[in-house]
Amino acid sequence: MTDFIKDNGIGITHHFSSGVYAKECLIPSGLILTQHKHAFDHLSILASGTAMITVEGVESIKVGPVAITIEAGKEHSVRSIDRKSTRLNSSHTYD
C-alpha cells in the first residue's frame, strides 16, 4: 500500500491527541481509495472537494465540508471526483 500511496500522490498526515486518532488524506482527482472495513465506527470529515462514497455497494456523492459516519464492519471506498484534490479526515478513539 505504501508504494501505491507514493506512486499516486496521496498525501497522508497522522494526528494523535488525548485518545483520538485522525488521519488526514489528500486524494488526487479521480483516485479511488479501495474497499475496506474497520472493526469500529469512524467519523470522516470531507473537508473540501467532492467525493463518491460507496458503503456496502450504495453510492452517494458528498460535497465538503460534510461529516460522514461509517459504521463498524461496513465495506466502504472513497473516490475523488473533484477537478482538484479532495481532503478527507477520518478519526476514531484509541486506548
Side-chain angles (χ1 to χ4, degrees), residues 7 28 33 38 45 47-49 52 62 65 67 69 71 73 76 81 84:
D7 292 347
L33 299 183
H38 308 278
I45 305 295
S48 64
M52 173 73 71
K62 303 289 185 183
T69 300
E71 296 176 4
H76 57 284
I81 58 174
K84 298 182 179 180

Side-chain angles (χ1 to χ4, degrees), residues 36-54:
H36 61 284
K37 58 185 169 181
H38 308 278
F40 47 83
D41 292 350
H42 75 278
L43 175 65
S44 293
I45 305 295
L46 179 58
S48 64
T50 305
M52 173 73 71
I53 310 294
T54 304

Side-chain angles (χ1 to χ4, degrees), residues 5 10-11 17 20-21 34 37 39 48-49 54 68 74 76 83 86 91 93:
I5 290 168
I10 300 170
S17 178
V20 176
Y21 164 72
T34 59
K37 58 185 169 181
S48 64
T54 304
I68 305 159
K74 301 281 185 173
H76 57 284
R83 288 181 292 148
T86 297
S91 65
T93 58

Side-chain angles (χ1 to χ4, degrees), residues 9 25-30 48-50 80-87:
C25 294
L26 186 61
I27 309 165
S29 180
S48 64
T50 305
S80 173
I81 58 174
D82 204 88
R83 288 181 292 148
K84 298 182 179 180
S85 296
T86 297
R87 184 171 303 278

